[in-house]
Amino acid sequence: MLQGKKTITDSEEYIFPNIEKVKVTIEGKPNAVYSQGLTTENFYDEPKRLFGIANNTCNDNISVRKFYKNKFALVVDLRAVDDNHIVGSEKKLLGDNPGILLEIETDGMSEDIFCNIFVLSDGLINISEKTLQGISY
């Protein structure tokens, strides 16, 4: 999720909207991703893994200070495996209460902001004997 002021014209500047805690409920099970919720201290660690460069090391051009000042992004990784090269191992929503609930606690911002939400996922295409057998997401 990328948040910015409604008047900003620089698309590369994203603000930290005073989020204090994030909770994720999957299929009615609370704290499905983070056992104690995702707190401010951990906001940088999640997206940092995605700042990779060619040899899979971290791009240090986005420091913690820069991240919270004008490059903030809220990342909630639902993959079952923490490896960017493995696909098809995502968490599956199969229960009686399918769905994801994202709860964001803030200390209350007084200004209007906009929020862009991006959902990244992979899919699996099953082909057997040159015939499409099914697609799963």
Side-chain angles (χ1 to χ4, degrees):
M1 298 174 66
L2 301 173
Q3 294 87 12
K5 296 177 184 176
K6 286 192 173 187
T7 57
I8 289 180
T9 57
D10 181 0
S11 64
E12 298 297 319
E13 185 174 315
Y14 301 102
I15 63 171
F16 175 61
N18 297 334
I19 296 173
E20 294 180 339
K21 193 172 193 178
V22 176
K23 297 177 187 175
V24 181
T25 300
I26 298 177
E27 295 182 329
K29 297 178 184 122
N31 301 321
V33 180
Y34 311 103
S35 61
Q36 300 300 315
L38 181 63
T39 59
T40 306
E41 297 81 29
N42 305 112
F43 288 154
Y44 179 70
D45 295 333
E46 286 295 301
K48 181 180 176 184
R49 296 178 295 120
L50 305 174
F51 298 160
I53 53 180
N55 60 359
N56 210 22
T57 59
C58 182
N59 179 352
D60 290 330
N61 289 333
I62 301 180
S63 65
V64 174
R65 182 178 174 160
K66 185 184 244 185
F67 175 77
Y68 283 102
K69 183 178 177 187
N70 62 5
K71 298 292 183 192
F72 181 78
L74 177 61
V75 174
V76 179
D77 191 348
L78 298 180
R79 295 175 298 167
V81 178
D82 189 17
D83 186 336
N84 291 332
H85 297 92
I86 297 176
V87 296
S89 59
E90 73 280 353
K91 288 182 170 43
K92 302 200 182 315
L93 302 177
L94 302 172
D96 295 335
N97 190 10
I100 298 172
L101 173 65
L102 181 64
E103 297 175 79
I104 300 174
E105 296 176 20
T106 69
D107 71 355
M109 288 194 67
S110 60
E111 60 185 307
D112 289 339
I113 61 170
F114 67 88
C115 179
N116 295 299
I117 300 175
F118 299 90
V119 177
L120 306 177
S121 82
D122 58 1
L124 181 62
I125 300 174
N126 297 315
I127 299 174
S128 177
E129 297 181 13
K130 300 180 185 179
T131 305
L132 176 65
Q133 299 296 315
I135 300 173
S136 59
Y137 301 98

Coordinates of all heavy atoms in Angstrom, one line a residue, residues 53-132:
I53 N 18.4 -6.4 -5.6 CA 19.1 -6.1 -6.8 C 19.6 -7.4 -7.4 O 19.3 -8.4 -6.9 CB 20.3 -5.0 -6.6 CG1 21.2 -5.5 -5.5 CG2 19.7 -3.7 -6.3 CD1 22.4 -4.6 -5.3
A54 N 20.3 -7.3 -8.6 CA 20.6 -8.5 -9.4 C 21.1 -9.7 -8.6 O 20.7 -10.8 -8.8 CB 21.6 -8.1 -10.4
N55 N 22.0 -9.5 -7.7 CA 22.6 -10.7 -6.9 C 21.8 -11.0 -5.6 O 22.3 -11.6 -4.7 CB 24.0 -10.5 -6.6 CG 24.3 -9.3 -5.8 OD1 23.4 -8.6 -5.4 ND2 25.6 -9.0 -5.5
N56 N 20.5 -10.5 -5.6 CA 19.6 -10.8 -4.5 C 20.1 -10.2 -3.2 O 19.7 -10.7 -2.1 CB 19.4 -12.3 -4.3 CG 18.0 -12.6 -3.8 OD1 17.1 -11.8 -3.9 ND2 17.8 -13.8 -3.2
T57 N 20.9 -9.1 -3.2 CA 21.2 -8.4 -2.0 C 20.4 -7.2 -1.9 O 19.7 -6.8 -2.9 CB 22.7 -8.0 -2.0 OG1 23.0 -7.2 -3.1 CG2 23.6 -9.3 -2.0
C58 N 20.3 -6.6 -0.7 CA 19.5 -5.4 -0.5 C 20.1 -4.2 -1.2 O 21.2 -3.9 -1.1 CB 19.3 -5.2 1.0 SG 18.2 -3.8 1.3
N59 N 19.2 -3.4 -1.8 CA 19.6 -2.1 -2.3 C 19.6 -1.1 -1.2 O 18.5 -0.7 -0.7 CB 18.6 -1.7 -3.4 CG 18.9 -0.3 -4.0 OD1 19.8 0.4 -3.5 ND2 18.2 0.0 -5.1
D60 N 20.7 -0.6 -0.7 CA 20.8 0.2 0.5 C 20.5 1.7 0.2 O 20.6 2.5 1.1 CB 22.2 0.1 1.1 CG 22.4 -1.2 1.8 OD1 21.4 -1.8 2.2 OD2 23.5 -1.7 1.8
N61 N 20.1 2.0 -1.0 CA 19.7 3.4 -1.3 C 18.5 3.8 -0.6 O 18.2 5.0 -0.5 CB 19.5 3.6 -2.9 CG 20.8 3.5 -3.6 OD1 21.9 3.8 -3.0 ND2 20.8 3.1 -4.8
I62 N 17.7 2.9 -0.1 CA 16.5 3.2 0.6 C 16.8 2.9 2.1 O 16.6 1.8 2.6 CB 15.2 2.5 0.1 CG1 15.0 2.8 -1.3 CG2 14.0 2.9 0.9 CD1 13.8 2.2 -2.0
S63 N 17.3 3.9 2.8 CA 17.6 3.7 4.2 C 16.3 3.8 5.1 O 15.2 4.1 4.6 CB 18.5 4.8 4.7 OG 17.8 6.1 4.6
V64 N 16.4 3.4 6.3 CA 15.3 3.5 7.2 C 14.7 4.9 7.3 O 13.5 5.1 7.3 CB 15.7 2.9 8.6 CG1 14.5 3.1 9.6 CG2 16.1 1.5 8.6
R65 N 15.6 5.8 7.4 CA 15.2 7.2 7.5 C 14.5 7.7 6.3 O 13.4 8.3 6.4 CB 16.5 8.1 7.8 CG 16.1 9.6 7.9 CD 17.3 10.4 8.2 NE 16.9 11.8 8.2 CZ 17.6 12.7 8.7 NH1 18.8 12.5 9.3 NH2 17.2 14.0 8.7
K66 N 15.0 7.4 5.1 CA 14.3 7.8 3.8 C 13.0 7.0 3.7 O 12.0 7.6 3.2 CB 15.3 7.4 2.7 CG 14.7 7.9 1.3 CD 15.7 7.4 0.2 CE 16.3 8.6 -0.5 NZ 17.1 8.2 -1.6
F67 N 13.0 5.8 4.1 CA 11.7 5.0 4.0 C 10.6 5.7 4.8 O 9.5 5.8 4.3 CB 12.0 3.6 4.6 CG 10.8 2.7 4.7 CD1 10.3 2.1 3.5 CD2 10.2 2.4 5.9 CE1 9.2 1.3 3.6 CE2 9.1 1.6 5.9 CZ 8.6 1.0 4.8
Y68 N 10.8 6.0 6.1 CA 9.8 6.6 6.9 C 9.5 8.1 6.5 O 8.5 8.6 6.8 CB 10.1 6.5 8.4 CG 9.8 5.1 8.9 CD1 10.9 4.3 9.1 CD2 8.5 4.7 9.2 CE1 10.6 3.0 9.6 CE2 8.3 3.4 9.6 CZ 9.3 2.6 9.9 OH 9.1 1.3 10.3
K69 N 10.5 8.7 5.8 CA 10.3 10.2 5.5 C 9.4 10.3 4.2 O 8.4 11.0 4.2 CB 11.7 10.8 5.3 CG 11.5 12.3 4.9 CD 12.9 12.9 4.8 CE 12.7 14.4 4.4 NZ 13.9 15.0 4.1
N70 N 9.8 9.7 3.1 CA 9.1 9.9 1.9 C 9.0 8.7 0.9 O 8.7 8.8 -0.2 CB 9.6 11.1 1.1 CG 11.0 11.0 0.7 OD1 11.6 10.0 0.9 ND2 11.5 12.1 0.2
K71 N 9.4 7.5 1.4 CA 9.3 6.3 0.6 C 8.5 5.2 1.2 O 8.7 4.0 0.9 CB 10.7 5.8 0.3 CG 11.6 6.7 -0.5 CD 11.1 6.9 -1.9 CE 12.1 7.8 -2.6 NZ 11.5 8.3 -3.9
F72 N 7.6 5.5 2.1 CA 6.9 4.5 2.9 C 6.0 3.6 2.1 O 5.2 4.1 1.2 CB 6.1 5.1 4.0 CG 5.4 4.1 4.9 CD1 6.1 3.4 5.9 CD2 4.0 3.9 4.7 CE1 5.4 2.5 6.6 CE2 3.4 2.9 5.5 CZ 4.1 2.2 6.5
A73 N 6.0 2.3 2.3 CA 5.1 1.4 1.7 C 4.7 0.3 2.7 O 5.6 -0.2 3.4 CB 5.7 0.7 0.5
L74 N 3.4 0.1 2.9 CA 3.0 -1.0 3.8 C 2.9 -2.3 3.0 O 2.2 -2.4 2.0 CB 1.6 -0.7 4.4 CG 1.0 -1.7 5.3 CD1 1.9 -2.0 6.5 CD2 -0.4 -1.3 5.7
V75 N 3.7 -3.3 3.4 CA 3.8 -4.5 2.7 C 3.3 -5.6 3.6 O 3.8 -5.8 4.7 CB 5.2 -4.9 2.2 CG1 5.3 -6.2 1.6 CG2 5.7 -3.8 1.2
V76 N 2.3 -6.4 3.1 CA 1.8 -7.6 3.9 C 2.0 -8.8 2.9 O 1.4 -8.9 1.9 CB 0.4 -7.5 4.3 CG1 -0.1 -8.7 5.0 CG2 0.1 -6.2 5.1
D77 N 3.0 -9.6 3.2 CA 3.4 -10.7 2.4 C 2.6 -12.0 2.8 O 2.8 -12.5 3.9 CB 4.9 -11.0 2.5 CG 5.4 -11.9 1.5 OD1 4.6 -12.6 0.8 OD2 6.7 -12.0 1.3
L78 N 1.8 -12.5 1.9 CA 1.0 -13.6 2.3 C 1.5 -14.9 1.7 O 0.9 -16.0 1.8 CB -0.5 -13.5 1.7 CG -1.2 -12.3 2.3 CD1 -2.6 -12.2 1.7 CD2 -1.3 -12.3 3.8
R79 N 2.8 -14.9 1.2 CA 3.4 -16.1 0.7 C 3.7 -17.1 1.8 O 4.1 -16.6 2.9 CB 4.6 -15.8 -0.1 CG 4.3 -15.0 -1.4 CD 5.6 -14.6 -2.1 NE 6.4 -13.8 -1.2 CZ 7.7 -13.5 -1.4 NH1 8.3 -14.0 -2.5 NH2 8.3 -12.7 -0.6
A80 N 3.6 -18.3 1.6 CA 3.9 -19.3 2.6 C 5.4 -19.5 2.7 O 5.9 -20.0 3.7 CB 3.2 -20.7 2.3
V81 N 6.1 -19.2 1.6 CA 7.6 -19.4 1.6 C 8.2 -18.1 1.3 O 7.8 -17.3 0.4 CB 8.0 -20.4 0.5 CG1 9.5 -20.6 0.4 CG2 7.3 -21.7 0.7
D82 N 9.2 -17.7 2.0 CA 9.9 -16.4 1.9 C 11.0 -16.5 0.9 O 12.2 -16.4 1.2 CB 10.5 -16.0 3.3 CG 11.0 -14.6 3.3 OD1 10.6 -13.9 2.3 OD2 11.7 -14.3 4.2
D83 N 10.7 -16.8 -0.4 CA 11.7 -16.9 -1.4 C 11.0 -16.4 -2.7 O 10.0 -16.9 -3.2 CB 12.1 -18.4 -1.6 CG 13.2 -18.6 -2.6 OD1 13.4 -17.7 -3.5 OD2 13.9 -19.6 -2.5
N84 N 11.7 -15.3 -3.3 CA 11.1 -14.7 -4.5 C 11.2 -15.6 -5.7 O 10.6 -15.2 -6.7 CB 11.9 -13.4 -4.8 CG 11.5 -12.3 -3.7 OD1 10.5 -12.3 -3.1 ND2 12.5 -11.4 -3.5
H85 N 11.9 -16.7 -5.7 CA 12.1 -17.5 -6.8 C 11.1 -18.7 -6.9 O 11.0 -19.4 -7.8 CB 13.5 -18.0 -6.9 CG 14.5 -16.9 -7.1 ND1 15.1 -16.3 -6.1 CD2 14.9 -16.3 -8.2 CE1 15.9 -15.3 -6.5 NE2 15.8 -15.3 -7.8
I86 N 10.4 -18.9 -5.8 CA 9.4 -20.0 -5.7 C 8.0 -19.5 -5.9 O 7.6 -18.5 -5.3 CB 9.5 -20.7 -4.3 CG1 10.9 -21.3 -4.1 CG2 8.4 -21.8 -4.2 CD1 11.1 -22.0 -2.7
V87 N 7.3 -20.1 -6.8 CA 5.9 -19.7 -7.1 C 5.0 -20.9 -6.8 O 5.4 -22.0 -6.7 CB 5.7 -19.3 -8.6 CG1 6.5 -18.0 -8.8 CG2 6.1 -20.4 -9.5
G88 N 3.7 -20.6 -6.7 CA 2.7 -21.7 -6.5 C 2.6 -22.2 -5.1 O 2.0 -23.2 -4.8
S89 N 3.2 -21.4 -4.1 CA 3.1 -21.9 -2.7 C 2.4 -20.9 -1.8 O 2.6 -20.9 -0.6 CB 4.5 -22.1 -2.2 OG 5.3 -20.9 -2.3
E90 N 1.5 -20.1 -2.4 CA 0.8 -19.1 -1.7 C -0.2 -19.6 -0.7 O -0.5 -20.8 -0.8 CB 0.1 -18.1 -2.7 CG -1.1 -18.7 -3.3 CD -0.9 -19.7 -4.5 OE1 0.3 -19.8 -4.9 OE2 -1.8 -20.3 -5.0
K91 N -0.6 -18.8 0.2 CA -1.7 -19.3 1.2 C -3.0 -19.4 0.4 O -3.3 -18.6 -0.4 CB -1.8 -18.2 2.3 CG -0.7 -18.2 3.3 CD -0.9 -17.2 4.3 CE 0.0 -17.2 5.5 NZ 1.4 -17.4 5.2
K92 N -3.7 -20.5 0.6 CA -4.9 -20.7 -0.1 C -6.1 -20.4 0.8 O -6.1 -20.7 2.0 CB -5.0 -22.2 -0.6 CG -3.8 -22.6 -1.5 CD -4.1 -23.8 -2.3 CE -3.0 -24.2 -3.2 NZ -2.3 -23.3 -3.9
L93 N -7.1 -19.8 0.2 CA -8.3 -19.5 0.9 C -9.4 -20.5 0.6 O -10.0 -20.4 -0.5 CB -8.8 -18.1 0.6 CG -7.8 -17.0 0.9 CD1 -8.4 -15.6 0.4 CD2 -7.5 -16.9 2.3
L94 N -9.6 -21.5 1.5 CA -10.5 -22.6 1.1 C -11.6 -22.8 2.1 O -12.4 -23.6 1.9 CB -9.6 -23.9 1.0 CG -8.5 -23.9 0.0 CD1 -7.6 -25.1 0.1 CD2 -9.0 -23.8 -1.4
G95 N -11.5 -22.2 3.3 CA -12.4 -22.5 4.4 C -13.9 -22.0 4.2 O -14.3 -21.5 3.1
D96 N -14.6 -22.2 5.2 CA -16.1 -21.8 5.2 C -16.2 -20.3 5.2 O -17.2 -19.7 4.8 CB -16.8 -22.3 6.5 CG -16.8 -23.8 6.4 OD1 -16.8 -24.4 5.3 OD2 -17.0 -24.4 7.5
N97 N -15.2 -19.6 5.7 CA -15.2 -18.1 5.8 C -14.1 -17.5 5.0 O -13.2 -16.9 5.5 CB -15.1 -17.7 7.2 CG -15.4 -16.2 7.5 OD1 -15.8 -15.6 6.6 ND2 -15.1 -15.8 8.7
P98 N -14.0 -17.7 3.6 CA -12.9 -17.3 2.8 C -12.8 -15.7 2.8 O -13.8 -15.1 2.8 CB -13.1 -17.8 1.5 CG -14.6 -18.0 1.4 CD -15.1 -18.3 2.8
G99 N -11.6 -15.2 2.8 CA -11.4 -13.8 2.7 C -10.3 -13.3 3.6 O -9.8 -14.0 4.5
I100 N -9.9 -12.1 3.4 CA -8.8 -11.5 4.1 C -9.3 -10.2 4.7 O -9.9 -9.4 3.9 CB -7.6 -11.3 3.2 CG1 -7.0 -12.6 2.7 CG2 -6.5 -10.5 4.0 CD1 -5.9 -12.4 1.7
L101 N -9.1 -10.0 6.0 CA -9.5 -8.7 6.6 C -8.2 -8.0 7.1 O -7.4 -8.6 7.8 CB -10.4 -9.0 7.8 CG -10.7 -7.7 8.7 CD1 -11.5 -6.7 7.9 CD2 -11.5 -8.2 9.9
L102 N -8.0 -6.8 6.6 CA -6.8 -6.0 7.0 C -7.3 -4.9 7.9 O -8.1 -4.1 7.5 CB -6.2 -5.5 5.7 CG -4.9 -4.6 5.8 CD1 -3.8 -5.5 6.4 CD2 -4.5 -4.1 4.5
E103 N -6.8 -4.9 9.1 CA -7.1 -3.8 10.1 C -5.9 -3.0 10.3 O -4.8 -3.5 10.6 CB -7.5 -4.4 11.4 CG -8.8 -5.3 11.3 CD -9.1 -6.0 12.6 OE1 -9.7 -5.3 13.5 OE2 -8.8 -7.2 12.8
I104 N -6.1 -1.7 10.1 CA -5.0 -0.7 10.2 C -5.3 0.3 11.3 O -6.3 1.0 11.2 CB -4.7 0.0 8.9 CG1 -4.3 -1.0 7.8 CG2 -3.6 1.0 9.1 CD1 -4.2 -0.4 6.5
E105 N -4.5 0.3 12.4 CA -4.7 1.2 13.5 C -3.7 2.4 13.3 O -2.6 2.2 13.1 CB -4.4 0.6 14.8 CG -5.3 -0.6 15.2 CD -4.8 -1.3 16.5 OE1 -4.1 -0.7 17.3 OE2 -5.3 -2.4 16.7
T106 N -4.3 3.6 13.4 CA -3.5 4.8 13.3 C -3.7 5.7 14.5 O -4.6 5.5 15.3 CB -3.8 5.7 12.0 OG1 -5.1 6.2 12.2 CG2 -3.8 4.8 10.7
D107 N -2.8 6.7 14.6 CA -3.0 7.7 15.7 C -3.8 8.8 15.3 O -3.9 9.8 15.9 CB -1.7 8.1 16.3 CG -0.9 9.0 15.4 OD1 -1.3 9.3 14.3 OD2 0.2 9.5 15.9
G108 N -4.4 8.7 14.1 CA -5.4 9.7 13.6 C -4.7 10.8 12.9 O -4.2 11.7 13.5
M109 N -4.7 10.8 11.6 CA -4.1 11.9 10.8 C -5.1 12.9 10.5 O -6.3 12.6 10.4 CB -3.6 11.4 9.4 CG -2.3 10.5 9.5 SD -1.5 10.3 7.9 CE -1.0 11.9 7.5
S110 N -4.7 14.2 10.5 CA -5.7 15.2 10.3 C -5.8 15.6 8.8 O -6.7 16.4 8.5 CB -5.3 16.4 11.1 OG -4.0 16.9 10.8
E111 N -4.9 15.2 8.0 CA -5.0 15.6 6.6 C -5.5 14.4 5.7 O -5.4 13.3 6.1 CB -3.6 16.0 6.1 CG -2.5 14.9 6.2 CD -1.1 15.4 5.8 OE1 -1.0 16.0 4.7 OE2 -0.2 15.2 6.6
D112 N -6.0 14.8 4.6 CA -6.5 13.8 3.6 C -5.4 13.2 2.9 O -4.5 13.9 2.4 CB -7.5 14.5 2.6 CG -8.8 14.9 3.2 OD1 -9.2 14.3 4.3 OD2 -9.5 15.7 2.6
I113 N -5.4 11.9 2.7 CA -4.4 11.2 2.0 C -5.0 10.2 1.0 O -6.2 9.9 1.1 CB -3.4 10.4 2.9 CG1 -4.1 9.3 3.7 CG2 -2.6 11.3 3.8 CD1 -3.2 8.3 4.4
F114 N -4.3 9.8 0.0 CA -4.8 8.8 -0.9 C -4.0 7.5 -0.7 O -2.9 7.6 -0.2 CB -4.8 9.2 -2.4 CG -3.4 9.4 -2.9 CD1 -2.7 8.3 -3.5 CD2 -2.7 10.6 -2.8 CE1 -1.4 8.4 -4.0 CE2 -1.4 10.7 -3.3 CZ -0.8 9.7 -3.9
C115 N -4.6 6.4 -1.0 CA -3.9 5.1 -0.8 C -4.1 4.3 -2.0 O -5.2 4.1 -2.5 CB -4.5 4.4 0.4 SG -3.8 2.8 0.8
N116 N -2.9 3.8 -2.5 CA -2.9 2.8 -3.6 C -2.7 1.5 -3.1 O -1.7 1.3 -2.3 CB -1.8 3.2 -4.6 CG -2.0 4.5 -5.3 OD1 -3.0 4.7 -6.0 ND2 -1.1 5.4 -5.1
I117 N -3.5 0.5 -3.4 CA -3.3 -0.9 -2.9 C -3.0 -1.8 -4.1 O -3.7 -1.8 -5.1 CB -4.6 -1.4 -2.2 CG1 -4.9 -0.5 -1.0 CG2 -4.5 -2.8 -1.8 CD1 -6.2 -0.8 -0.3
F118 N -1.9 -2.5 -4.0 CA -1.5 -3.4 -5.0 C -1.5 -4.8 -4.5 O -1.0 -5.1 -3.4 CB -0.1 -3.1 -5.5 CG 0.1 -1.7 -6.1 CD1 0.4 -0.6 -5.3 CD2 -0.2 -1.5 -7.4 CE1 0.5 0.6 -5.8 CE2 -0.1 -0.2 -8.0 CZ 0.3 0.9 -7.1
V119 N -2.1 -5.7 -5.2 CA -2.2 -7.1 -4.7 C -1.3 -7.9 -5.7 O -1.6 -7.9 -6.9 CB -3.6 -7.7 -4.7 CG1 -3.6 -9.2 -4.4 CG2 -4.5 -6.9 -3.8
L120 N -0.3 -8.5 -5.2 CA 0.6 -9.3 -6.1 C 0.3 -10.8 -5.8 O 0.3 -11.2 -4.6 CB 2.1 -9.0 -5.8 CG 2.5 -7.6 -5.9 CD1 4.0 -7.4 -5.5 CD2 2.3 -7.0 -7.3
S121 N 0.1 -11.5 -6.8 CA -0.1 -13.0 -6.6 C 0.4 -13.7 -7.8 O 0.6 -13.2 -8.9 CB -1.6 -13.2 -6.3 OG -2.3 -13.3 -7.5
D122 N 0.5 -15.0 -7.6 CA 0.9 -15.8 -8.8 C -0.2 -16.9 -9.0 O -1.1 -17.1 -8.1 CB 2.2 -16.5 -8.6 CG 2.3 -17.4 -7.3 OD1 1.3 -17.5 -6.6 OD2 3.4 -17.9 -7.1
G123 N -0.2 -17.5 -10.1 CA -1.2 -18.5 -10.4 C -0.6 -19.7 -10.9 O 0.6 -19.8 -11.2
L124 N -1.3 -20.8 -10.9 CA -0.8 -22.1 -11.4 C -1.7 -22.5 -12.5 O -3.0 -22.6 -12.3 CB -0.8 -23.1 -10.2 CG -0.3 -24.5 -10.5 CD1 1.2 -24.4 -11.0 CD2 -0.4 -25.3 -9.3
I125 N -1.2 -22.8 -13.7 CA -1.9 -23.3 -14.8 C -1.6 -24.8 -15.0 O -0.4 -25.2 -15.1 CB -1.6 -22.6 -16.1 CG1 -1.9 -21.1 -16.0 CG2 -2.3 -23.2 -17.3 CD1 -1.4 -20.2 -17.1
N126 N -2.6 -25.7 -14.9 CA -2.4 -27.1 -15.0 C -2.7 -27.5 -16.5 O -3.9 -27.4 -16.9 CB -3.3 -27.9 -14.0 CG -2.9 -27.5 -12.6 OD1 -1.7 -27.5 -12.3 ND2 -3.9 -27.3 -11.8
I127 N -1.7 -28.1 -17.2 CA -1.9 -28.6 -18.5 C -1.5 -30.0 -18.5 O -0.4 -30.4 -18.1 CB -1.1 -27.8 -19.5 CG1 -1.5 -26.3 -19.5 CG2 -1.2 -28.4 -20.9 CD1 -0.7 -25.4 -20.3
S128 N -2.3 -30.9 -19.1 CA -2.0 -32.3 -19.2 C -2.3 -32.8 -20.6 O -3.5 -32.5 -21.1 CB -2.9 -33.1 -18.2 OG -2.6 -34.5 -18.3
E129 N -1.4 -33.4 -21.2 CA -1.5 -33.9 -22.6 C -2.1 -32.8 -23.5 O -3.1 -33.0 -24.2 CB -2.4 -35.1 -22.6 CG -1.8 -36.3 -21.8 CD -2.6 -37.5 -21.9 OE1 -3.6 -37.6 -22.7 OE2 -2.3 -38.4 -21.1
K130 N -1.5 -31.6 -23.5 CA -1.9 -30.5 -24.3 C -3.3 -29.9 -24.1 O -3.8 -29.2 -24.9 CB -1.7 -30.8 -25.8 CG -0.3 -31.2 -26.2 CD -0.2 -31.5 -27.6 CE 1.2 -32.0 -28.0 NZ 1.4 -32.3 -29.4
T131 N -3.9 -30.3 -22.9 CA -5.2 -29.8 -22.6 C -5.2 -29.1 -21.3 O -4.6 -29.5 -20.3 CB -6.2 -31.0 -22.5 OG1 -6.1 -31.8 -23.7 CG2 -7.6 -30.5 -22.3
L132 N -5.9 -27.9 -21.3 CA -5.9 -27.1 -20.1 C -6.8 -27.8 -19.1 O -8.0 -28.1 -19.3 CB -6.5 -25.7 -20.4 CG -6.8 -24.8 -19.2 CD1 -5.5 -24.4 -18.5 CD2 -7.5 -23.6 -19.6

